[in-house]
Each structure stands twice: as structure tokens, then as C-alpha cells.
Amino acid sequence: MCPESNVLKDISCNRTKTMSIINNVIGQYEFEYLLKIMKIQKFSILIDESTDHSAIKHLAIIVRIMDYSNFKIRDDFLCLLQIASATAVNIFEKIKKIYIEHNIPYRDNLVGFASDGANTMFGSKHSVKTLLEEDVPGIFVMKCICHSLALCASYACEKLQNSIEELVRNVYNYMKQSFKRLSEFNEFQVFINSKPHKLLQPSQTRWLSLNSCVKRVLEQYDALKLYFLGEKLIDNKASDIFNTLNDPLTKLYLNFLEFALPILVDLNVIF
């Protein structure tokens, strides 16, 4: 790290010290610097709510500003807040509290708001969007384009004769957390010389995952058919999965999605 510096040559940092420097020095400086900018120039906010493994809800706030040193738009992380409940009022009050505590004239400087299209964020009757529009008249609001594209892809899949997304989920859910089933499926992979890849889970929040899941099911299609051919004799859920896999239209739709979904994935990556 900076070998040309005689001072830094003798500095050693373990994980604890490094985390403390980042959180209490670098992070605090950047936080205060961003607040200073928000007080004197226009800015927009991008927010997202999430729940971690311990069931604690968090609200991430990103600030979009113009960097006048090079006249480029920049997105900076502002903070990650714990929230008791992810209601529209609670989220709005948390955001507003940040402005008030740090003397940010948000009614004058806040010009834009963006988030995903969840009803809490963008509902037409009562949402964070409507509350901000009441508090900051003229604010520009925009839904997440990536989220909208993912919903388009998901709803389009529902128009197919067979719900391919449901099939992918059912196959994964049938295998997950069962070492016995995974081991038996692996034997079928070996038998037909298929690559011993694991099945993938299509996540509700990881919108780009469906494309990878479709590719994986197609790769393992023959092994899956053989496996569920035996499983259908002892399990009704397996019987439903086998019937879907055995339908020739299912593979046709999967091949169509393998062609169409990368177009949306590439568009998502751009944004």
C-alpha cells in the first residue's frame, strides 16, 4: 500500500483496525462531505428497503448529485437505516428525519426520487411517492427501470401455456435441503454424462437470475426427466413436475426464453 510513502511503510492494519478506519474516519468524512453538498446544491435520492437474515429491516439511501469538479453525475451512498416497519409513513419519516437532523433544506434542494415499483414506494393512493409529492411539490419521481423490466418478463412468462417460472421454482424447491434427493439426482447426471451442476434458485429480488435458471434447467433437462420419472411414483408433487417436463411444449418455451431473456438481461446491465 503506497510503497513510495515512508510513513505508510511501517503501518500494519488487521481487520479490526481497518474496519474502524473505514467506518469512523473515511466513512464519517464522506458522510459529512455529502451532507455539506446536499445543503448547497440540488440532489435526488434513490432508496431501497430490505430485510436481512436476522429479520431486521433496513433502508438504504443513495444520493445523486452533480460533481461540478468534472461536470459528471455521481451516485453516493448516504446511509443505511434500521426501520421498525416498512410502511410508507415510517419510511418517509425516516428520510425526513435525516434532513431535519442535519439542517438540509430538502424542500428547496430535493428534486428527484426513485425506487422500485412496490406499492409502499409508488402506490397511487398512499406511498412514499405521494407523501414526498405533498411535502416537496414539483419533485420528479421515477420507478426503477430494471424492476419494471423484470416484472414485464415475469408477467410475460405467465402468458405461456406452461408457467415456466413456476416449473423452475418447483424443481429447485423439490431438491433443496434434501441431501438424499440431490445425491440421487447426481447419479442420473453421471448416468447420462451431464455436467454435475447444481440447480439454481430463481429469486424474487435478483431479477437477472431467471435467465441463468432457464439455462441450467435446459442443460439438465434429460437428467431431470429421468429423475422425476421415478419420483412421480412416490410423490404427487414430483408427478406434477414430471408431467410438465414431459410436455414437449415445455422445452420449446424454455428454448424461447433462453433466446429472449438475455435481451432483457443486457438491458438491465446497462441501467
Side-chain angles (χ1 to χ4, degrees), residues 114-128:
S115 73
D116 61 30
N119 193 53
T120 300
M121 298 294 187
F122 259 86
S124 59
K125 300 296 183 182
H126 182 71
S127 62
V128 177

Side-chain angles (χ1 to χ4, degrees), residues 28-29 42 112 121 188-189 228 240 252:
Q28 186 62 28
Y29 172 82
K42 306 295 184 182
M121 298 294 187
F188 284 96
Q189 289 176 308
F228 283 104
D240 293 337
L252 179 65

Side-chain angles (χ1 to χ4, degrees), residues 112-229:
F113 165 71
S115 73
D116 61 30
N119 193 53
T120 300
M121 298 294 187
F122 259 86
S124 59
K125 300 296 183 182
H126 182 71
S127 62
V128 177
K129 175 187 80 82
T130 59
L131 292 171
L132 278 171
E133 287 175 332
E134 292 174 3
D135 198 30
V136 187
I139 187 173
F140 176 79
V141 297
M142 184 177 185
K143 291 182 182 179
C144 173
I145 295 175
C146 296
H147 191 202
S148 298
L149 287 171
L151 290 175
C152 289
S154 182
Y155 289 140
C157 287
E158 293 179 2
K159 299 300 180 181
L160 301 178
Q161 182 174 340
N162 297 302
S163 178
I164 302 303
E165 191 171 358
E166 182 181 352
L167 169 66
V168 175
R169 293 186 192 282
N170 288 342
V171 169
Y172 175 83
N173 289 333
Y174 190 84
M175 297 288 192
K176 73 174 183 179
Q177 297 178 347
S178 175
F179 179 77
K180 179 176 179 293
R181 289 175 178 176
L182 289 171
S183 298
E184 291 173 349
F185 176 63
N186 181 251
E187 292 178 5
F188 284 96
Q189 289 176 308
V190 173
F191 178 73
I192 66 170
N193 294 320
S194 178
K195 295 180 180 179
H197 291 157
K198 294 182 179 180
L199 297 169
L200 302 177
Q201 179 184 17
S203 172
Q204 292 285 2
T205 54
R206 296 178 183 175
W207 307 315
L208 305 184
S209 67
L210 183 57
N211 180 50
S212 301
C213 295
V214 167
K215 288 180 178 291
R216 184 58 52 83
V217 169
L218 275 173
E219 178 192 85
Q220 303 295 330
Y221 203 83
D222 292 336
L224 286 169
K225 280 185 67 175
L226 284 175
Y227 173 76
F228 283 104
L229 177 63

Side-chain angles (χ1 to χ4, degrees), residues 13-32:
C13 288
N14 57 23
R15 183 172 63 180
T16 303
K17 182 187 290 186
T18 302
M19 288 179 61
S20 296
I21 292 174
I22 292 173
N23 292 332
N24 303 321
V25 181
I26 300 174
Q28 186 62 28
Y29 172 82
E30 290 296 328
F31 177 70
E32 293 175 358

